Amino acid sequence: MITTRRSILGGAAFAAALALSPAMAQAPTEIELFFPVPVDGQLARDMAALIKEFNETHPAIKATPVYTGSYDETLIKTRAAMKAGKPPAAAIMSANFLLDLRIEGEIQKLDELIKADGKNNDGFMGQFFPALYGNAVIERSVYGVPFHNSTPLLYINAEHFKEAGLDPENPPKTWDEFAAAAKKLTKREGDRVTRWGISIPSQYDTGGWILQALTYSNGGRWFNLDYAGEVYYDAPSTLGALTFWNDLIVKQKALQPGVQQGGAVTTAFLSGQASMMLNSTGSLTHVRNNAKFPLKVAFVPKNLQNQVPIGGASLVIPIGVDGERRKAAWTLITWMTSPEKSGWWSRATGYFAPNMNAYDLPEMKAFLEKNPDAKVAVDQLAYAKPWFATYKTVVVRKAIEDELQAVLSGKKQPKEALVSAQKTADEIMKPYVEQTALKLPTN
């Protein structure tokens, strides 16, 4: 190689440029965020916009959003990435998976990161609605930061209500009123149903959540809040809830038989083929923006009490993420859950903002003034309880969802289904129960 004055000067200039350019002095820390799309709407595009803004305002970090399917698929893909030694720096995880992830040693405590920010756990969690603690704090340690959360809601087509002689300003508040309205709203031409009074999603993940809501509103318990090895599937309150759901098909003939997918339920409601639906507040923005009729939303009707489970997701950091990637993940998590971004995400999607301070911001107050339906889920939080969470959460949940789907398809009676669900769930949880609740002292 021939060294010339020109090449020496060129090399010196390049070296100087490197020294003077902060952006080139150190490459940004690259992190991935796994995120699911569990409900309707343009959530994936909203996420892309959110991360784009983060990257523009945090040049030392480059975050890449990775769409990972449903909540269940996100769990599977996160575990696969961890097994391969390449965990994402952060993941938006179904809030009720955190307990099982902690039992399996797959997610990090966030206590040290909170302390490094000059806060304690109580002070950090104090910014979020108390109803969310049960799915974020385990044995006084913080394992997840609430990001987008939901409750089930009753959606109403106000035009259909008026047409049927019902008052949309006075939505059904009890199971009796709910069933009567559903029956009255159902339309037939001969033997063919042209409009169902109610539509309810019953696919995996959502079906169990809705049945939990009905069980709660029937005065029941769904699982042991303090112990990961007990569920109450074969309990009178659960039987009453499942019987009520089944009666909407069999007795009122106001609900389509069979398993109903969430997307199909929303489509039926928006197209006028169903007059009411029970669905997540996470669908609210999509429904509001696409409804061609006056829309109303209300609490889930009760039998004995107003009570619903929390839904939605929290941000977690998997085991195996450390150093600068861990710091960058925490920066992303705290930014995404700040009052400003929490409020923005709520307005974009329909999920309520878990950060209470979001509701004190002028833009949020103006939004609620224009869209009072967005406040219903927030008001319902006064009656919200933690979401179902146990050892082996997904398969224990599917144990009852299999039976729910068998009932709604006319293959089983409610009592028979719940006995089977309880037996299956107990078998799945047996190893954990034997190692914890039934573990005897050795001395």
Side-chain angles (χ1 to χ4, degrees):
M1 180 178 178
I2 300 173
T3 302
T4 66
R5 176 181 169 75
R6 184 175 180 181
S7 67
I8 292 172
L9 290 174
F14 181 67
L18 278 178
L20 293 172
S21 172
M24 297 185 67
Q26 185 174 358
T29 301
E30 297 193 13
I31 58 173
E32 315 77 36
L33 170 69
F34 279 14
F35 77 97
V37 175
V39 295
D40 312 285
Q42 60 167 32
L43 191 145
R45 290 191 292 275
D46 292 334
M47 180 58 71
L50 192 69
I51 298 303
K52 181 174 182 289
E53 182 184 349
F54 174 80
N55 286 335
E56 289 172 349
T57 53
H58 297 77
I61 301 170
K62 181 184 179 183
T64 301
V66 180
Y67 169 57
T68 42
S70 66
Y71 281 146
D72 288 1
E73 290 165 341
T74 297
L75 177 63
I76 292 169
K77 290 176 181 177
T78 301
R79 282 178 161 161
M82 293 171 67
K83 193 173 182 180
K86 298 178 180 178
I92 297 175
M93 194 65 70
S94 183
N96 66 332
F97 292 170
L98 270 59
L99 176 59
D100 191 40
L101 287 165
R102 200 275 299 167
I103 290 172
E104 300 293 346
E106 296 173 317
I107 54 174
Q108 300 189 23
K109 285 183 184 179
L110 305 176
D111 301 1
E112 288 182 6
L113 293 162
I114 292 169
K115 187 176 181 180
D117 283 347
K119 300 175 184 174
N120 59 36
N121 287 356
D122 290 341
F124 177 76
M125 287 303 299
Q127 64 189 310
F128 302 107
F129 284 103
L132 303 172
Y133 288 20
N135 290 119
V137 180
I138 303 169
E139 296 172 353
R140 299 191 61 78
S141 286
V142 178
Y143 282 88
V145 183
F147 173 60
H148 66 199
N149 292 97
S150 58
T151 66
L153 291 176
L154 177 63
Y155 289 75
I156 292 169
N157 183 322
E159 279 186 358
H160 288 184
F161 261 59
K162 291 180 180 176
E163 176 193 308
L166 300 167
D167 181 6
E169 302 300 328
N170 186 26
K173 294 181 177 60
T174 67
W175 283 7
D176 283 346
E177 294 173 359
F178 183 43
K183 186 175 182 179
K184 200 169 185 178
L185 287 161
T186 302
K187 293 177 70 175
R188 289 181 170 77
E189 291 179 1
D191 294 334
R192 188 172 69 91
V193 175
T194 58
R195 187 177 80 193
W196 294 102
I198 177 71
S199 192
I200 306 174
S202 49
Q203 83 277 17
Y204 289 119
D205 194 18
T206 306
W209 187 52
I210 297 291
L211 186 57
Q212 183 183 351
L214 293 175
T215 300
Y216 277 173
S217 67
N218 198 30
R221 293 192 297 168
W222 188 253
F223 69 107
N224 188 330
L225 285 166
D226 300 313
Y227 179 62
E230 287 182 1
V231 293
Y232 307 115
Y233 292 163
D234 185 21
S237 49
T238 313
L239 177 60
L242 182 55
T243 301
F244 172 71
W245 193 338
N246 190 45
D247 282 354
L248 291 172
I249 297 173
V250 177
K251 292 186 176 178
Q252 278 74 39
K253 301 186 185 305
L255 173 66
Q256 187 174 7
V259 178
Q260 307 303 317
Q261 299 295 321
V265 166
T266 306
T267 299
F269 181 70
L270 288 173
S271 66
Q273 295 176 316
S275 298
M276 298 186 288
M277 71 170 180
L278 287 179
N279 214 335
S280 169
T281 188
S283 295
L284 181 55
T285 297
H286 173 70
V287 174
R288 184 196 300 126
N289 291 343
N290 291 281
K292 308 297 183 189
F293 50 81
L295 173 71
K296 296 286 182 181
V297 296
F299 282 16
V300 173
K302 65 178 181 180
N303 189 28
L304 297 176
Q305 61 183 2
N306 287 120
Q307 196 168 101
V308 292
I310 288 296
S314 298
L315 282 151
V316 301
I317 299 179
I319 291 292
V321 177
D322 52 23
E324 292 304 313
R325 292 182 73 233
R326 183 169 180 255
K327 291 179 183 176
W330 183 243
T331 299
L332 175 64
I333 288 172
T334 52
W335 183 83
M336 289 176 68
T337 55
S338 66
E340 293 78 11
K341 300 310 161 192
S342 188
W344 182 88
W345 187 254
S346 173
R347 295 191 295 276
T349 63
Y351 288 99
F352 69 80
N355 193 318
M356 293 185 290
N357 299 325
Y359 291 94
D360 293 330
L361 299 177
E363 55 267 34
M364 200 62 167
K365 290 180 178 177
F367 178 78
L368 292 178
E369 182 73 22
K370 186 179 179 182
N371 302 285
D373 54 8
K375 196 169 180 298
V376 176
V378 181
D379 293 341
Q380 202 173 218
L381 284 177
Y383 310 99
K385 294 292 183 183
W387 194 2
F388 163 70
T390 65
Y391 170 74
K392 301 293 183 188
T393 301
V394 173
V395 284
V396 172
R397 190 199 74 217
K398 285 185 176 179
I400 195 164
E401 289 179 325
D402 285 339
E403 300 298 332
L404 166 68
Q405 293 178 1
V407 171
L408 300 180
S409 299
K411 297 174 182 174
K412 282 190 176 181
Q413 292 300 308
K415 178 61 179 175
E416 174 192 10
L418 294 180
V419 169
S420 178
Q422 184 72 53
K423 182 180 178 183
T424 303
D426 288 345
E427 282 297 316
I428 295 167
M429 294 185 291
K430 186 177 178 181
Y432 179 79
V433 172
E434 289 179 342
Q435 287 298 315
T436 53
L438 301 181
K439 187 175 183 179
L440 300 176
T442 54
N443 296 322

